[in-house]
Structure formats: C-alpha cells, structure tokens
Amino acid sequence: MRTRLLPLLIVLMAGVLLALGFPLAASLAASEQQRVVVDRLDDAARFAALAQFVSETSPGTDERRTTLGGELASYHDVYDIRAGIFYRNNRSMAAAPEDWVVPYEGEGRRAFNESLLGRRSHDPPQVWPWQAHARLIIASPVVRDGDVVAVVVTDSPTGQLRLRILRGWLLIFAGESLAMLVAVGAAFRLTGWVLRPVRVLDSVTHDIATGRMNSRVAATGGPPELRRLALSFNEMADNVEEALEQQRAFVADASHQLRNPLAALLLRIELLAMELPEGNEEIASVRTEGKRLSQVLDDLLDLALAEHTAAELQLVDVGALAAERVASWRPVADDKGVALVGACGPVTAWADPVALSSALDAVIDNAVKFTPAGEEVTVTAEPVPGGDEVAVVVADHGPGLTDEELDRVGDRFWRAGRHQNVKGSGLGLSITRVLLTAGGGGIDFAPNEPHGLRVTVTVPRNQPAAKGDREGQGFTER
C-alpha cells in the first residue's frame, strides 16, 4: 500500500510546488524588468528636460545641443546604453553613438510611435534569460508647450537583467527543491505513521490465522480511526480465542469423562464374551468398535492438547530426526513387506522436536499403512530451493488420492470411502497439521508419480521473532 500511496502524495506535492513556482518565477522576472524600465524612464525624463530647450531655429541652440550630446556620450560610455533624441521626422537632435538612428521597424519603432502620442514605454515585452540577443528599448516624449516635438529613445543591453533573473530563478529552484525534499521526508513519515498500524494488523491477522491466538495489536500509534480499529480487532480476537478455548475445553473434558465409562463398558464386554461360545462374531464386532471408539477419544484428547499447547522451538537437525523416525518405523514396514528408505542429509531448522516427531510418525504410519507389499516408501530431508524452509518429503507408491480427495485430506474425521475399513480415526493428519502450524511449519499433499501420495512437511530455517522484537513492532502477546 505504501508504494501506491507515497507516489500519489509526492506527485500532488510536486504539482503544488510547480503551480506556485512558475507564477513566482514569472513575477520575479517582471519585477526585475520593471525596476530597469523605471530607471531608464528616469534617465529618459532627464534627457527630455534638457532637450526641450533645444530648437532648430532659436539662437544659442548649438551650445545646448553640444551639452546634450556630451551628456548622451557620457551616458553611453559609462553604461553602454545607446541613447538619442529624434525629431518627429526621424532626424536626430543628438545621439550616442553619433551614427545611431531611430529604428524603422520592430520594438524600437513601436516605442517611438507610442511616444509621439505622448505616452511613455511603460510595458515593453518581457525579457527572458534564454533570449541572449534581446535588448530593452524605452522611449519618452519631449514636450514643449503641450506638443510632442521629439522623442528620447534608449536601447539597453539585457545581460545584467537576464543574469539577475536567472539568479532569482536558481534561488526559487533551490527553495522548491529543498521544499520538495522536506515534503518527501514528511510524506515518508506520514505514510509510515498511517500505514504502520495497518502492517501490524496484517501481521497479527496472519499470526492468528496460523494458530498463534495470543497475538494482539498494540493500539499506541497511527490515526485515531486505526487505533479504534486495533482495539476492535483485539476485542474480536479475544472473543474468538475464548470461543476456541471453550471448544477445546469441551472436547478435552468430554474425551476425558468418556474414558472411564468406556473402559467399564469394554470390561463388561470382555466378561460377557467369557460366557459366550469362542469365536462369536457379534462379540468380536462389538470389541472392535469399542477399541475404535477408545482410539477416537484418545485422538480427540491429543487434538485438544495440541491446539492448546504452545510450540517450544529450538534448533533441530531435521535430517537426523527424520532418519531416527525412519529407523523406528522400519520394523513395521518390514513386517508388511514394504521397503522404507531414508535419504536424509544433515540440515537444521527451527522446530519443536516432539511435535515434529509426532508429525513424521503420523505421516510415515499412513504411508506404510496404505502402501502394498513389495512397494517402496522414501523419506527425504533437504532445504527448499530458493526458500527459507526445510522440507521432509514422504513419498509412497500406494493407491494415492483423487483430486477431490486431495482437497479434503487432513480434515477432521475425514477418511476416503475406500479406506473406511482401515484402522484409524481420521484425526491423525489433523493433529499433525495443528502441531506443525503452531511452530510456523506446514504440511502439503500431492500425487506421487506414477502412483501414490507425496506428503511434504515444512519447518522454518530462520528463528522466529522473539517476543521482545514483536512488541517493538507493535505486537503484544497475552
């Protein structure tokens, strides 16, 4: 979720900064140019004040014309700005340099014609930093007795103006870049603050789904809505755990309470059998059903105990443990005529050795039970390629299971229709799944080619997070 939310926030913040940056840059450029325009208008007004006393016909005009020419020449030498005063007929009154004439087209002609109407050049076109050859032309009228008799024109280079605009833009860019970095950092913190309770809630949900019912969310961070969601989730988990605990207690109590009456019933059946002829089929059938009921009660008690007991994980040599269970079951397989082969190399993982032994016993027992004489059962232990798990694979060459049966194998009390007469309660694989899940492992069923069943028992190679680490990530355990 963070990978989707964070780019959205960054794009929105970048859009806001750009929307603010472009008008600010344009405003800066306009402000810098306006400052130059005002300065040139002041200079043009001073030259116009000198030029209004120069006349083409009045005596003494030459001295004033000479003074005006000297002022324009000094202005050009100091500021490198061309300046001139031109009559309405385009004839030059004075100019610097002396050969400069009023432009006959372009921006200079537009400013000249505008000044002939008595208006100053208040709004010349904007100069941008990339316009290397742009010049700023300002014109101001020379008014005598209310009439425009001449026009003062200045033609300025724009290098310094463009440089100041560029520097201002670089400052704006640096400021926006810094603001963007701050915004990105704030977005990371914001998304982390908002999504951290969601990640913790997801992890705790996974823990509860895999059997760690005592996991809870520490509702101490994030928005108020998510803190309320965490509290509601904890209440729901408490209710679910309480319901499961009541179910486990009922199963355990019922199994335990039925054992004594059942034992007494089996004893009376044996006493009754002593009064009947040897080989009575009804008594044999009743005795078999009684023993089966006793096995079901034992398995129910084991299942309730497995669901209630927390796994005690430790670093285990899975290969050695699997080889030990193969050696224990080999006499049973030999009696049935089944070859039980173990290929278990040294490989370590984190598991409860008692739970893993019980799980392997149940799986190997089923494989030997359903494999006909003359066939083979193989047990291998090796790391999962590209994963963080160790797999113990028990493959047999028995009748196997159909796709529909594979979907149901491991369900409580479920047995295939063609195996109803085989000894068992249908709880062995259910108990195995509970034992493995409590330690972070799992069990999987698949067909074995060309026929048979392949059962894969997996346990984690890496040590699960300690309780203190989980609390630091927003987990609590009850």
Side-chain angles (χ1 to χ4, degrees):
M1 183 181 293
R2 185 172 188 171
T3 56
R4 296 188 294 271
L5 183 59
L6 191 58
L8 178 61
L9 291 177
I10 292 176
V11 169
L12 289 177
M13 288 184 290
V16 171
L17 290 176
L18 290 177
L20 295 175
F22 279 111
L24 182 60
S27 176
L28 174 68
S31 175
E32 289 291 338
Q33 178 165 315
Q34 186 63 28
R35 189 160 63 87
V36 175
V37 169
V38 170
D39 184 64
R40 298 297 180 270
L41 286 175
D42 290 342
D43 295 339
R46 183 169 63 87
F47 293 138
L50 295 175
Q52 67 179 342
F53 300 107
V54 179
S55 174
E56 293 180 280
T57 58
S58 300
T61 303
D62 292 340
E63 181 180 352
R64 294 175 178 174
R65 189 188 303 273
T66 302
T67 301
L68 180 60
E71 290 286 339
L72 294 176
S74 298
Y75 186 70
H76 178 262
D77 292 339
V78 173
Y79 300 109
D80 194 28
I81 299 175
R82 293 184 295 188
I85 297 95
F86 303 94
Y87 292 109
R88 298 180 65 90
N89 59 4
N90 298 329
R91 189 165 59 86
S92 173
M93 179 188 300
E98 295 182 357
D99 58 347
W100 186 52
V101 296
V102 64
Y104 286 94
E105 59 183 10
E107 180 59 27
R109 172 53 59 175
R110 185 194 70 81
F112 183 83
N113 293 335
E114 186 177 6
S115 294
L116 291 178
L117 300 177
R119 296 194 295 267
R120 292 181 177 183
S121 302
H122 289 290
D123 190 22
Q126 179 63 51
V127 175
W128 303 107
W130 56 82
Q131 295 175 326
H133 302 290
R135 299 186 70 86
L136 189 63
I137 299 178
I138 300 297
S140 180
V142 178
V143 180
R144 183 189 301 153
D145 298 330
D147 296 327
V148 177
V149 296
V151 174
V152 179
V153 181
T154 63
D155 185 358
S156 309
T158 58
Q160 292 297 322
L161 171 62
R162 290 183 288 109
L163 183 59
R164 287 195 301 272
I165 294 175
L166 183 59
R167 287 175 179 171
W169 284 7
L170 290 176
L171 289 176
I172 293 175
F173 176 77
E176 293 222 338
S177 299
L178 180 60
M180 190 64 193
L181 290 177
V182 173
V184 170
F188 269 98
R189 294 298 298 272
L190 178 63
T191 54
W193 178 71
V194 171
L195 297 181
R196 183 175 180 272
V198 178
R199 292 195 301 270
V200 173
L201 185 62
D202 177 69
S203 299
V204 174
T205 304
H206 176 73
D207 286 348
I208 293 178
T210 54
R212 291 186 283 273
M213 299 299 300
N214 59 347
S215 295
R216 294 294 183 271
V217 180
T220 57
E225 295 80 4
L226 292 180
R227 291 200 295 270
R228 289 196 297 269
L229 177 61
L231 293 175
S232 300
F233 178 86
N234 289 339
E235 292 177 0
M236 180 194 69
D238 290 339
N239 293 332
V240 172
E241 185 180 15
E242 182 180 357
L244 290 177
E245 184 60 32
Q246 292 175 354
Q247 179 185 1
R248 294 191 195 104
F250 172 77
V251 173
D253 292 343
S255 301
H256 182 73
Q257 294 299 324
L258 286 174
R259 289 175 64 87
N260 290 336
L262 181 60
L265 179 62
L266 291 177
L267 180 59
R268 286 178 171 79
I269 291 174
E270 294 298 332
L271 293 175
L272 180 62
M274 296 174 62
E275 303 295 332
L276 296 176
E278 186 71 26
N280 187 286
E281 294 182 0
E282 292 298 328
I283 287 295
S285 176
V286 172
R287 183 185 291 116
T288 300
E289 291 299 325
K291 291 180 179 179
R292 182 173 179 274
L293 181 57
S294 179
Q295 180 64 42
V296 170
L297 290 177
D298 289 340
D299 288 345
L300 282 173
L301 194 58
D302 292 340
L303 178 61
L305 186 62
E307 290 178 338
H308 185 72
T309 305
E312 298 181 0
L313 301 182
Q314 55 184 278
L315 194 60
V316 177
D317 188 342
V318 178
L321 191 147
E324 177 186 339
R325 303 323 303 156
V326 169
S328 298
W329 282 95
R330 185 167 286 121
V332 178
D334 292 341
D335 289 343
K336 190 179 178 182
V338 175
L340 182 57
V341 181
C344 306
V347 57
T348 58
W350 287 88
D352 185 333
V354 176
L356 182 57
S357 297
S358 300
L360 293 179
D361 285 341
V363 174
I364 296 175
D365 179 25
N366 275 355
V368 173
K369 185 189 302 182
F370 293 107
T371 301
E375 295 290 350
E376 182 182 78
V377 175
T378 59
V379 180
T380 59
E382 58 186 3
V384 177
D388 296 329
E389 296 177 323
V390 172
V392 180
V393 180
V394 180
D396 64 59
H397 292 83
L401 297 173
T402 64
D403 292 340
E404 182 180 354
E405 292 171 339
L406 284 173
D407 292 336
R408 296 202 56 191
V409 64
D411 292 349
R412 297 176 181 179
F413 298 106
W414 181 85
R415 305 181 72 191
R418 59 182 185 274
H419 299 152
Q420 292 296 328
N421 294 326
V422 180
K423 180 182 177 182
S425 62
L427 289 173
L429 293 179
S430 299
I431 297 173
T432 298
R433 189 188 299 275
V434 171
L435 292 172
L436 292 172
T437 302
I443 185 170
D444 186 59
F445 306 91
N448 185 41
E449 299 299 335
H451 59 84
L453 184 66
R454 176 185 293 267
V455 183
T456 303
V457 174
T458 56
V459 289
R461 299 194 68 181
N462 299 324
Q463 183 178 11
K467 179 179 178 181
D469 296 337
R470 294 169 60 80
E471 290 175 351
Q473 297 173 0
F475 298 88
T476 60
E477 294 186 357
R478 300 176 65 250

